[in-house]
Amino acid sequence: MQGRIASFLLLIGLVALTSHAGHAQDYPVRPIKLIVHTTPGSSSDVTARLVAQDMGRRLGQQMVVDNRAGAGGSIGVDVVAKAPADGYTLLVGASSVMVMLPAVSKRKLPYDADADFAPIGRIGVSPFLLVVNSQSGIKSLDELLASAKANPEKISYASAGPGTNPHMLGEMLSLLSGSPLRHVPYKGPGPAQVDLLGGSVDMQFDTPSATQALIRAGKLRALAVTDTTRLAALPEVPTVGELGYPQLQLLGWTALYAPRATPPTVLAKLQHTLKETLQSPQVRAKLQAMGDTETDALIGDALLQEQRKSRARWRKLAQDRGIALD
């Protein structure tokens, strides 16, 4: 009797293994949906479409981008958390929703950034530029901090919304100045930049892709970049570390995720394809033109460990500064 039971259990195991192997071998047999939690035209959206085109070609199936913005990005993220774990619904998730939002939210989010997702890999990495209006008299980061200290709560900074990377960078800058800066949140980086150009706010942390043209046109002045190395496209802009403020180092990133229960064989195929895409000279050139930095791709658990480490860092700042989003 026991022998029959053992044989039956072995048969079940073999069927399961065969099923997973067959799934990976056949996968994908239909288009794959990429959920992007930001609006069309955002940096995450542009990166997603670039990578989707190349990955889809390699997989032999179209990857369709579906924008689901709202609630700070949590709507789109939750869609994938609750989607079937079959490899046909994936998330293009930015560090803002996988690191920052969980770090500063007082309320329980509808998703768990670690438990609900299987990380495939990071697809785009970009620092932020601290920029001011070119008509501003502030010409360096030291001058900005001195002005903030001399004028408490009068120097303002724009952000793409509460709990975003630019907001937390502004809070860190306020901490370094020893005097509070005035936070002016917007519904996105675009409207924030409009007011910066119009003189309604004093400064903004924004991506190189959104600011390079305006810097070259003389409309914005870049004071620093939040990377450990200077940007090849803007070599004259010093890093925050060079200026003595390594606390401001921060890279925003976009990564590809699947629902947690996705078969390992399918994840492995997606990870392998993503690696090939990111090694493509054409794709790398386009990502660099957008302002992405040269960085080793973080695949699978390496990405999970990085987001946990980063979240712990910014959660401490949020607690120290009393930041808690309802």
Side-chain angles (χ1 to χ4, degrees):
M1 181 68 177
Q2 290 182 343
R4 289 181 180 179
I5 293 175
S7 298
F8 179 69
L9 292 175
L10 178 60
L11 178 62
I12 291 176
L14 289 173
V15 169
L17 286 173
T18 303
S19 174
H20 280 312
H23 194 175
Q25 184 176 4
D26 297 338
Y27 173 85
V29 297
R30 65 177 190 271
I32 300 168
K33 184 182 292 185
L34 292 187
I35 302 294
V36 179
H37 59 81
T38 57
T39 55
S42 65
S43 59
S44 291
D45 176 72
V46 173
T47 300
R49 293 176 189 277
L50 170 62
V51 171
Q53 184 177 17
D54 190 88
M55 283 189 70
R57 177 181 61 80
R58 295 175 188 275
L59 290 167
Q61 287 290 341
Q62 186 180 11
M63 297 187 100
V64 182
V65 173
D66 183 358
N67 297 89
R68 301 287 188 94
S74 62
I75 290 177
V77 180
D78 190 43
V79 167
V80 181
K82 293 179 172 57
D86 55 10
Y88 290 98
T89 303
L90 306 178
L91 172 69
V92 177
S95 54
S96 59
V97 294
M98 305 306 280
V99 173
M100 287 301 185
L101 197 56
V104 302
S105 290
K106 185 166 63 175
R107 62 182 172 84
K108 181 176 174 58
L109 294 173
Y111 64 90
D112 186 311
D114 297 340
D116 291 342
F117 299 96
I120 296 169
R122 203 156 65 171
I123 60 179
V125 182
S126 176
F128 294 89
L129 286 166
L130 174 56
V131 292
V132 296
N133 191 303
S134 60
Q135 301 302 312
S136 167
I138 296 174
K139 294 182 170 57
S140 70
L141 179 53
D142 280 335
E143 287 184 13
L144 176 61
L145 292 172
S147 180
K149 191 169 185 177
N151 302 279
E153 296 190 23
K154 291 186 178 180
I155 303 297
S156 60
Y157 70 95
S159 83
T164 59
N165 290 331
H167 175 204
M168 299 305 286
L169 282 168
E171 288 295 327
M172 180 63 79
L173 194 64
S174 184
L175 183 66
L176 293 173
S177 73
S179 183
L181 302 172
R182 184 163 55 88
H183 177 215
V184 184
Y186 291 81
K187 292 184 177 180
Q193 188 181 84
V194 169
D195 274 8
L196 177 63
L197 291 168
S200 299
V201 290
D202 297 305
M203 62 180 174
Q204 179 184 9
F205 284 95
D206 205 349
T207 60
S209 60
T211 54
Q212 283 184 65
L214 292 168
I215 292 168
R216 292 194 181 102
K219 295 182 178 181
L220 292 178
R221 178 183 300 123
L223 304 184
V225 61
T226 65
D227 204 349
T228 55
T229 58
R230 296 193 181 199
L231 288 173
L234 296 168
E236 72 280 6
V237 181
T239 69
V240 289
E242 288 178 70
L243 298 174
Y245 305 102
Q247 304 94 323
L248 289 167
Q249 288 172 355
L250 175 65
L251 294 177
W253 45 258
T254 304
L256 196 59
Y257 298 85
R260 170 58 69 180
T262 301
T265 47
V266 172
L267 289 175
K269 189 166 187 177
L270 287 167
Q271 289 169 352
H272 175 74
T273 306
L274 177 60
K275 283 182 181 179
E276 290 185 332
T277 288
L278 295 178
Q279 289 169 358
S280 162
Q282 293 84 0
V283 172
R284 291 175 69 86
K286 290 177 181 178
L287 287 172
Q288 289 169 19
M290 292 166 54
D292 284 1
T293 59
E294 285 283 355
T295 182
D296 293 332
L298 291 180
I299 301 296
D301 285 343
L303 172 59
L304 181 62
Q305 296 306 315
E306 173 62 24
Q307 71 186 34
R308 285 174 172 166
K309 179 181 176 182
S310 184
R311 190 184 304 125
R313 172 195 176 194
W314 294 100
R315 178 176 286 135
K316 183 178 186 307
L317 176 66
Q319 292 171 344
D320 291 345
R321 303 291 292 174
I323 302 168
L325 302 185
D326 293 326

